[in-house]
Structure formats: structure tokens, C-alpha cells
Amino acid sequence: MDNSKPTKRIIIGSDHAGYSLKEHIISSLSDKGFIIIDIGTHSKQSCDYPVFASKLCDRLNKGSADLGILCCGTGIGMSIAANKIKGIRAAACSDIYSAKYTRLHNDANVLCLGARVIGEGLADELVNIFISTEFEGGKHKRRVDMISALEQ
Ligand code: RB5
């Protein structure tokens, strides 16, 4: 990690299907020195992913963290729920290019991962590229502002 920059704060959540992947990502990011906020779920007991999407996004919007990660079975339910919340740009990614460009061009602030779609190794790569890539701004800011206008 670049010690000249403040340590990034990552907020993470899952449902039961994403629980094991969430625990794996927490372990990987903790080893790298990131500050982690875990909003649950805390077991494999069946639960409802919109509850955790909502909880994570509310806390992200309040400034508790810099970026969010949500894990469910496909990553899709979490992304649909998260994108209902004002200020959230959530991207379900299972390839490196998308995880990089959703930061560069969309200023995505939540990465959604499908634990039943990808393995832990790819998840680590996706998380690393998502967290380490900064928004490009410029013409992309105009477009992201247009997305924000759709929330009004
Ligand atoms: C849970 O079975 C599953 O539906 C959920 O984790 C997620 O994949 C929904 O999109």
C-alpha cells in the first residue's frame, strides 16, 4: 500500500450466499492494511440481500467508508437493490476490465460480486483493481452528473 495516501476504508456486506466470500475478502484486505467495516451478515443462515444492500449504502452515503463491496449469489440482486439508493453507483463485475472501467468511467462506489459465479482468486483481483483505480473525471464526470440528475 502507498503510505503517502490515507488508508482507504472499505465497507463490506453480504447475504448468506455471499457470506464465505465476504469473510475471505475481509481477510485479504485486512492483510493489506485496509480499514474494514463489516455490516454482516454474520452466518450462512438464510437472509434477505436488500437489507444488507440498504444498510451498507446508507453508511457509505454517510461517509463511513470510501468504497463498498457487496456479495450475494450472483452479485446481481445486491447491485439492483444498491442502485435504488441515491448516491450509489453499484456494479456487478466478474471480469477485470469491467471492474477497472467502472471506477475510471462510472465512478462506481460499490462493487458487487457473485459468490456462486466467481472464485476467491478472481474476487481478490476484482477487489484489488476496483479499490486501486481512481475516477478519471473530465467528460466522464459530466456523464456521471447526468446519472445523478436521474435520481431527482
Ligand atoms: C440467494 O439464494 C440469492 O438469490 C442471492 O444471493 C442473490 O444471488 C440474488 O441476486
Side-chain angles (χ1 to χ4, degrees), residues 15-18 46-47 49 71-80 114 116:
D15 69 355
H16 55 289
S46 184
C47 61
Y49 59 83
C71 305
C72 66
T74 59
I76 296 171
M78 283 294 198
S79 67
I80 292 172
R116 294 172 179 163

Side-chain angles (χ1 to χ4, degrees), residues 1 7 23-36 124 128:
M1 184 179 292
T7 307
E23 295 302 300
H24 171 80
I25 293 168
I26 289 170
S27 166
S28 298
L29 290 180
S30 301
D31 287 349
K32 294 192 177 102
F34 288 98
I35 296 163
I36 311 295
D124 284 336
N128 289 343

Side-chain angles (χ1 to χ4, degrees), residues 126-140:
L126 294 168
V127 166
N128 289 343
I129 197 84
F130 186 81
I131 285 175
S132 62
T133 304
E134 298 300 328
F135 179 46
E136 221 170 69
K139 66 184 177 190
H140 301 294

